[in-house]
mmCIF file of all heavy atoms in Angstrom:
data_model
loop_
_atom_site.group_PDB
_atom_site.id
_atom_site.type_symbol
_atom_site.label_atom_id
_atom_site.label_comp_id
_atom_site.label_asym_id
_atom_site.label_seq_id
_atom_site.Cartn_x
_atom_site.Cartn_y
_atom_site.Cartn_z
ATOM 1 N N LEU A 3 0.830 -1.197 0.000
ATOM 2 C CA LEU A 3 0.000 0.000 0.000
ATOM 3 C C LEU A 3 0.871 1.255 0.000
ATOM 4 O O LEU A 3 0.432 2.301 -0.472
ATOM 5 C CB LEU A 3 -0.912 0.009 1.228
ATOM 6 C CG LEU A 3 -2.021 -1.050 1.279
ATOM 7 C CD1 LEU A 3 -2.939 -0.781 2.465
ATOM 8 C CD2 LEU A 3 -2.823 -1.083 -0.014
ATOM 9 N N ALA A 4 2.098 1.142 0.497
ATOM 10 C CA ALA A 4 3.001 2.298 0.474
ATOM 11 C C ALA A 4 3.312 2.717 -0.956
ATOM 12 O O ALA A 4 3.289 3.908 -1.294
ATOM 13 C CB ALA A 4 4.291 1.967 1.224
ATOM 14 N N ALA A 5 3.615 1.746 -1.819
ATOM 15 C CA ALA A 5 3.910 2.055 -3.220
ATOM 16 C C ALA A 5 2.682 2.616 -3.920
ATOM 17 O O ALA A 5 2.769 3.594 -4.691
ATOM 18 C CB ALA A 5 4.407 0.802 -3.932
ATOM 19 N N LEU A 6 1.528 2.010 -3.665
ATOM 20 C CA LEU A 6 0.279 2.477 -4.273
ATOM 21 C C LEU A 6 -0.049 3.890 -3.798
ATOM 22 O O LEU A 6 -0.440 4.764 -4.587
ATOM 23 C CB LEU A 6 -0.852 1.514 -3.915
ATOM 24 C CG LEU A 6 -2.218 1.791 -4.528
ATOM 25 C CD1 LEU A 6 -2.165 1.628 -6.042
ATOM 26 C CD2 LEU A 6 -3.263 0.867 -3.935
ATOM 27 N N ASP A 7 0.126 4.134 -2.517
ATOM 28 C CA ASP A 7 -0.175 5.445 -1.948
ATOM 29 C C ASP A 7 0.740 6.521 -2.523
ATOM 30 O O ASP A 7 0.281 7.613 -2.890
ATOM 31 C CB ASP A 7 -0.030 5.393 -0.424
ATOM 32 C CG ASP A 7 -0.140 6.762 0.214
ATOM 33 O OD1 ASP A 7 -1.234 7.352 0.150
ATOM 34 O OD2 ASP A 7 0.874 7.255 0.746
ATOM 35 N N THR A 8 2.030 6.233 -2.606
ATOM 36 C CA THR A 8 2.976 7.218 -3.128
ATOM 37 C C THR A 8 2.607 7.635 -4.547
ATOM 38 O O THR A 8 2.695 8.814 -4.903
ATOM 39 C CB THR A 8 4.406 6.654 -3.100
ATOM 40 O OG1 THR A 8 4.766 6.358 -1.743
ATOM 41 C CG2 THR A 8 5.395 7.639 -3.672
ATOM 42 N N ALA A 9 2.171 6.676 -5.348
ATOM 43 C CA ALA A 9 1.859 6.961 -6.746
ATOM 44 C C ALA A 9 0.533 7.682 -6.920
ATOM 45 O O ALA A 9 0.425 8.608 -7.739
ATOM 46 C CB ALA A 9 1.843 5.656 -7.540
ATOM 47 N N HIS A 10 -0.490 7.282 -6.150
ATOM 48 C CA HIS A 10 -1.847 7.723 -6.458
ATOM 49 C C HIS A 10 -2.503 8.604 -5.395
ATOM 50 O O HIS A 10 -3.529 9.233 -5.681
ATOM 51 C CB HIS A 10 -2.730 6.507 -6.712
ATOM 52 C CG HIS A 10 -2.346 5.726 -7.930
ATOM 53 N ND1 HIS A 10 -2.685 6.116 -9.211
ATOM 54 C CD2 HIS A 10 -1.633 4.585 -8.069
ATOM 55 C CE1 HIS A 10 -2.212 5.247 -10.080
ATOM 56 N NE2 HIS A 10 -1.570 4.310 -9.421
ATOM 57 N N TYR A 11 -1.954 8.657 -4.187
ATOM 58 C CA TYR A 11 -2.631 9.401 -3.119
ATOM 59 C C TYR A 11 -1.715 10.395 -2.399
ATOM 60 O O TYR A 11 -2.080 11.546 -2.228
ATOM 61 C CB TYR A 11 -3.241 8.428 -2.096
ATOM 62 C CG TYR A 11 -4.339 7.578 -2.677
ATOM 63 C CD1 TYR A 11 -4.061 6.323 -3.225
ATOM 64 C CD2 TYR A 11 -5.658 8.032 -2.704
ATOM 65 C CE1 TYR A 11 -5.062 5.549 -3.778
ATOM 66 C CE2 TYR A 11 -6.667 7.263 -3.257
ATOM 67 C CZ TYR A 11 -6.367 6.023 -3.794
ATOM 68 O OH TYR A 11 -7.357 5.260 -4.348
ATOM 69 N N GLY A 12 -0.573 9.935 -1.927
ATOM 70 C CA GLY A 12 0.341 10.826 -1.228
ATOM 71 C C GLY A 12 0.037 11.048 0.235
ATOM 72 O O GLY A 12 0.448 12.058 0.817
ATOM 73 N N HIS A 13 -0.664 10.111 0.866
ATOM 74 C CA HIS A 13 -0.932 10.254 2.301
ATOM 75 C C HIS A 13 0.356 10.178 3.121
ATOM 76 O O HIS A 13 0.520 10.898 4.100
ATOM 77 C CB HIS A 13 -1.874 9.150 2.783
ATOM 78 C CG HIS A 13 -3.259 9.237 2.228
ATOM 79 N ND1 HIS A 13 -4.042 10.360 2.359
ATOM 80 C CD2 HIS A 13 -4.010 8.335 1.532
ATOM 81 C CE1 HIS A 13 -5.215 10.157 1.772
ATOM 82 N NE2 HIS A 13 -5.218 8.942 1.256
ATOM 83 N N GLY A 14 1.239 9.279 2.753
ATOM 84 C CA GLY A 14 2.427 9.032 3.559
ATOM 85 C C GLY A 14 2.128 8.100 4.714
ATOM 86 O O GLY A 14 2.679 7.009 4.819
ATOM 87 N N ARG A 15 1.240 8.519 5.590
ATOM 88 C CA ARG A 15 0.800 7.663 6.687
ATOM 89 C C ARG A 15 -0.688 7.926 6.909
ATOM 90 O O ARG A 15 -1.103 9.088 6.999
ATOM 91 C CB ARG A 15 1.596 7.908 7.965
ATOM 92 C CG ARG A 15 1.340 6.836 9.031
ATOM 93 C CD ARG A 15 2.303 6.962 10.208
ATOM 94 N NE ARG A 15 2.094 5.851 11.146
ATOM 95 C CZ ARG A 15 2.849 4.768 11.211
ATOM 96 N NH1 ARG A 15 3.870 4.641 10.383
ATOM 97 N NH2 ARG A 15 2.602 3.813 12.075
ATOM 98 N N ILE A 16 -1.464 6.862 7.008
ATOM 99 C CA ILE A 16 -2.900 6.975 7.207
ATOM 100 C C ILE A 16 -3.385 5.685 7.852
ATOM 101 O O ILE A 16 -2.861 4.602 7.561
ATOM 102 C CB ILE A 16 -3.641 7.236 5.865
ATOM 103 C CG1 ILE A 16 -5.134 7.445 6.097
ATOM 104 C CG2 ILE A 16 -3.377 6.130 4.858
ATOM 105 C CD1 ILE A 16 -5.901 7.847 4.821
ATOM 106 N N ASP A 17 -4.345 5.790 8.754
ATOM 107 C CA ASP A 17 -4.910 4.588 9.365
ATOM 108 C C ASP A 17 -5.534 3.711 8.290
ATOM 109 O O ASP A 17 -6.206 4.200 7.377
ATOM 110 C CB ASP A 17 -5.985 4.966 10.391
ATOM 111 C CG ASP A 17 -5.407 5.680 11.609
ATOM 112 O OD1 ASP A 17 -4.276 5.338 12.006
ATOM 113 O OD2 ASP A 17 -6.088 6.577 12.146
ATOM 114 N N TRP A 18 -5.331 2.406 8.424
ATOM 115 C CA TRP A 18 -5.829 1.492 7.404
ATOM 116 C C TRP A 18 -7.345 1.586 7.263
ATOM 117 O O TRP A 18 -7.879 1.442 6.165
ATOM 118 C CB TRP A 18 -5.421 0.048 7.730
ATOM 119 C CG TRP A 18 -3.937 -0.177 7.708
ATOM 120 C CD1 TRP A 18 -2.960 0.724 7.417
ATOM 121 C CD2 TRP A 18 -3.264 -1.398 8.008
ATOM 122 N NE1 TRP A 18 -1.717 0.150 7.512
ATOM 123 C CE2 TRP A 18 -1.866 -1.150 7.880
ATOM 124 C CE3 TRP A 18 -3.689 -2.669 8.381
ATOM 125 C CZ2 TRP A 18 -0.908 -2.138 8.099
ATOM 126 C CZ3 TRP A 18 -2.732 -3.652 8.613
ATOM 127 C CH2 TRP A 18 -1.366 -3.395 8.463
ATOM 128 N N TRP A 19 -8.049 1.801 8.379
ATOM 129 C CA TRP A 19 -9.515 1.850 8.289
ATOM 130 C C TRP A 19 -9.990 3.128 7.600
ATOM 131 O O TRP A 19 -11.114 3.194 7.134
ATOM 132 C CB TRP A 19 -10.159 1.697 9.663
ATOM 133 C CG TRP A 19 -9.827 2.770 10.663
ATOM 134 C CD1 TRP A 19 -10.371 4.018 10.743
ATOM 135 C CD2 TRP A 19 -8.879 2.682 11.729
ATOM 136 N NE1 TRP A 19 -9.819 4.728 11.785
ATOM 137 C CE2 TRP A 19 -8.902 3.921 12.418
ATOM 138 C CE3 TRP A 19 -8.033 1.691 12.185
ATOM 139 C CZ2 TRP A 19 -8.098 4.178 13.522
ATOM 140 C CZ3 TRP A 19 -7.229 1.954 13.280
ATOM 141 C CH2 TRP A 19 -7.276 3.181 13.944
ATOM 142 N N LYS A 20 -9.129 4.148 7.513
ATOM 143 C CA LYS A 20 -9.467 5.344 6.751
ATOM 144 C C LYS A 20 -9.098 5.188 5.276
ATOM 145 O O LYS A 20 -9.774 5.746 4.399
ATOM 146 C CB LYS A 20 -8.736 6.557 7.328
ATOM 147 C CG LYS A 20 -9.176 6.939 8.727
ATOM 148 C CD LYS A 20 -8.381 8.132 9.245
ATOM 149 C CE LYS A 20 -8.782 8.500 10.669
ATOM 150 N NZ LYS A 20 -7.947 9.621 11.198
ATOM 151 N N PHE A 21 -8.017 4.458 5.010
ATOM 152 C CA PHE A 21 -7.569 4.274 3.627
ATOM 153 C C PHE A 21 -8.456 3.283 2.882
ATOM 154 O O PHE A 21 -8.704 3.436 1.680
ATOM 155 C CB PHE A 21 -6.120 3.780 3.639
ATOM 156 C CG PHE A 21 -5.385 3.984 2.337
ATOM 157 C CD1 PHE A 21 -5.839 4.856 1.355
ATOM 158 C CD2 PHE A 21 -4.201 3.301 2.089
ATOM 159 C CE1 PHE A 21 -5.146 5.051 0.168
ATOM 160 C CE2 PHE A 21 -3.503 3.477 0.906
ATOM 161 C CZ PHE A 21 -3.980 4.351 -0.046
ATOM 162 N N ALA A 22 -8.948 2.256 3.581
ATOM 163 C CA ALA A 22 -9.722 1.190 2.932
ATOM 164 C C ALA A 22 -10.920 1.730 2.145
ATOM 165 O O ALA A 22 -11.136 1.317 0.992
ATOM 166 C CB ALA A 22 -10.168 0.164 3.976
ATOM 167 N N PRO A 23 -11.740 2.655 2.700
ATOM 168 C CA PRO A 23 -12.867 3.164 1.905
ATOM 169 C C PRO A 23 -12.432 3.902 0.645
ATOM 170 O O PRO A 23 -13.126 3.858 -0.383
ATOM 171 C CB PRO A 23 -13.575 4.111 2.886
ATOM 172 C CG PRO A 23 -13.166 3.669 4.245
ATOM 173 C CD PRO A 23 -11.762 3.174 4.076
ATOM 174 N N GLN A 24 -11.291 4.573 0.697
ATOM 175 C CA GLN A 24 -10.800 5.258 -0.500
ATOM 176 C C GLN A 24 -10.388 4.257 -1.576
ATOM 177 O O GLN A 24 -10.673 4.456 -2.769
ATOM 178 C CB GLN A 24 -9.605 6.145 -0.135
ATOM 179 C CG GLN A 24 -9.927 7.260 0.840
ATOM 180 C CD GLN A 24 -8.700 8.075 1.218
ATOM 181 O OE1 GLN A 24 -7.703 8.082 0.490
ATOM 182 N NE2 GLN A 24 -8.751 8.761 2.342
ATOM 183 N N LEU A 25 -9.721 3.190 -1.156
ATOM 184 C CA LEU A 25 -9.308 2.158 -2.111
ATOM 185 C C LEU A 25 -10.518 1.458 -2.720
ATOM 186 O O LEU A 25 -10.511 1.081 -3.898
ATOM 187 C CB LEU A 25 -8.393 1.155 -1.419
ATOM 188 C CG LEU A 25 -7.058 1.724 -0.912
ATOM 189 C CD1 LEU A 25 -6.328 0.700 -0.059
ATOM 190 C CD2 LEU A 25 -6.175 2.154 -2.080
ATOM 191 N N LEU A 26 -11.572 1.297 -1.931
ATOM 192 C CA LEU A 26 -12.828 0.720 -2.445
ATOM 193 C C LEU A 26 -13.477 1.677 -3.429
ATOM 194 O O LEU A 26 -13.873 1.285 -4.540
ATOM 195 C CB LEU A 26 -13.760 0.423 -1.275
ATOM 196 C CG LEU A 26 -15.189 -0.005 -1.633
ATOM 197 C CD1 LEU A 26 -15.189 -1.311 -2.414
ATOM 198 C CD2 LEU A 26 -16.037 -0.128 -0.368
ATOM 199 N N ARG A 27 -13.581 2.932 -3.036
ATOM 200 C CA ARG A 27 -14.211 3.954 -3.892
ATOM 201 C C ARG A 27 -13.530 4.066 -5.248
ATOM 202 O O ARG A 27 -14.190 4.192 -6.284
ATOM 203 C CB ARG A 27 -14.142 5.302 -3.166
ATOM 204 C CG ARG A 27 -14.671 6.500 -3.951
ATOM 205 C CD ARG A 27 -14.119 7.784 -3.341
ATOM 206 N NE ARG A 27 -12.676 7.900 -3.531
ATOM 207 C CZ ARG A 27 -11.894 8.701 -2.800
ATOM 208 N NH1 ARG A 27 -12.406 9.434 -1.821
ATOM 209 N NH2 ARG A 27 -10.595 8.766 -3.053
ATOM 210 N N ASP A 28 -12.198 3.960 -5.258
ATOM 211 C CA ASP A 28 -11.434 4.172 -6.484
ATOM 212 C C ASP A 28 -11.175 2.888 -7.268
ATOM 213 O O ASP A 28 -10.421 2.911 -8.254
ATOM 214 C CB ASP A 28 -10.102 4.854 -6.152
ATOM 215 C CG ASP A 28 -10.302 6.246 -5.576
ATOM 216 O OD1 ASP A 28 -11.379 6.831 -5.799
ATOM 217 O OD2 ASP A 28 -9.381 6.751 -4.897
ATOM 218 N N GLY A 29 -11.736 1.775 -6.816
ATOM 219 C CA GLY A 29 -11.663 0.545 -7.594
ATOM 220 C C GLY A 29 -10.436 -0.305 -7.374
ATOM 221 O O GLY A 29 -10.230 -1.287 -8.088
ATOM 222 N N TRP A 30 -9.605 0.024 -6.367
ATOM 223 C CA TRP A 30 -8.423 -0.796 -6.102
ATOM 224 C C TRP A 30 -8.756 -2.048 -5.310
ATOM 225 O O TRP A 30 -8.081 -3.071 -5.456
ATOM 226 C CB TRP A 30 -7.369 0.024 -5.353
ATOM 227 C CG TRP A 30 -6.740 1.091 -6.186
ATOM 228 C CD1 TRP A 30 -6.976 2.433 -6.139
ATOM 229 C CD2 TRP A 30 -5.770 0.896 -7.224
ATOM 230 N NE1 TRP A 30 -6.223 3.093 -7.075
ATOM 231 C CE2 TRP A 30 -5.463 2.181 -7.751
ATOM 232 C CE3 TRP A 30 -5.128 -0.220 -7.755
ATOM 233 C CZ2 TRP A 30 -4.542 2.351 -8.779
ATOM 234 C CZ3 TRP A 30 -4.207 -0.041 -8.776
ATOM 235 C CH2 TRP A 30 -3.926 1.218 -9.283
ATOM 236 N N LEU A 31 -9.771 -1.976 -4.462
ATOM 237 C CA LEU A 31 -10.167 -3.115 -3.633
ATOM 238 C C LEU A 31 -11.632 -3.444 -3.834
ATOM 239 O O LEU A 31 -12.462 -2.545 -4.046
ATOM 240 C CB LEU A 31 -9.933 -2.802 -2.145
ATOM 241 C CG LEU A 31 -8.515 -2.874 -1.591
ATOM 242 C CD1 LEU A 31 -8.520 -2.504 -0.113
ATOM 243 C CD2 LEU A 31 -7.917 -4.263 -1.782
ATOM 244 N N ALA A 32 -11.966 -4.731 -3.734
ATOM 245 C CA ALA A 32 -13.352 -5.180 -3.714
ATOM 246 C C ALA A 32 -13.917 -4.937 -2.312
ATOM 247 O O ALA A 32 -13.165 -4.796 -1.339
ATOM 248 C CB ALA A 32 -13.431 -6.655 -4.079
ATOM 249 N N PRO A 33 -15.242 -4.903 -2.162
ATOM 250 C CA PRO A 33 -15.839 -4.586 -0.853
ATOM 251 C C PRO A 33 -15.373 -5.479 0.290
ATOM 252 O O PRO A 33 -15.060 -4.979 1.375
ATOM 253 C CB PRO A 33 -17.344 -4.740 -1.116
ATOM 254 C CG PRO A 33 -17.494 -4.419 -2.566
ATOM 255 C CD PRO A 33 -16.269 -4.977 -3.221
ATOM 256 N N ASP A 34 -15.309 -6.786 0.084
ATOM 257 C CA ASP A 34 -14.906 -7.685 1.172
ATOM 258 C C ASP A 34 -13.465 -7.419 1.606
ATOM 259 O O ASP A 34 -13.151 -7.430 2.806
ATOM 260 C CB ASP A 34 -15.057 -9.147 0.750
ATOM 261 C CG ASP A 34 -16.503 -9.593 0.714
ATOM 262 O OD1 ASP A 34 -17.386 -8.850 1.206
ATOM 263 O OD2 ASP A 34 -16.771 -10.685 0.168
ATOM 264 N N ASP A 35 -12.588 -7.174 0.639
ATOM 265 C CA ASP A 35 -11.189 -6.922 0.980
ATOM 266 C C ASP A 35 -11.019 -5.567 1.671
ATOM 267 O O ASP A 35 -10.177 -5.417 2.569
ATOM 268 C CB ASP A 35 -10.311 -6.983 -0.272
ATOM 269 C CG ASP A 35 -9.954 -8.408 -0.662
ATOM 270 O OD1 ASP A 35 -10.119 -9.308 0.179
ATOM 271 O OD2 ASP A 35 -9.503 -8.620 -1.799
ATOM 272 N N ALA A 36 -11.800 -4.583 1.247
ATOM 273 C CA ALA A 36 -11.730 -3.277 1.909
ATOM 274 C C ALA A 36 -12.155 -3.401 3.365
ATOM 275 O O ALA A 36 -11.531 -2.823 4.266
ATOM 276 C CB ALA A 36 -12.607 -2.269 1.178
#
């Protein structure tokens, strides 16, 4: 997720439970995995 974040988001550090909905919204993760 660090590599993905650096390329597409730039959070640097973010709680996983906050990042998961963004990854779901943007199509990187399916609902169950998010």
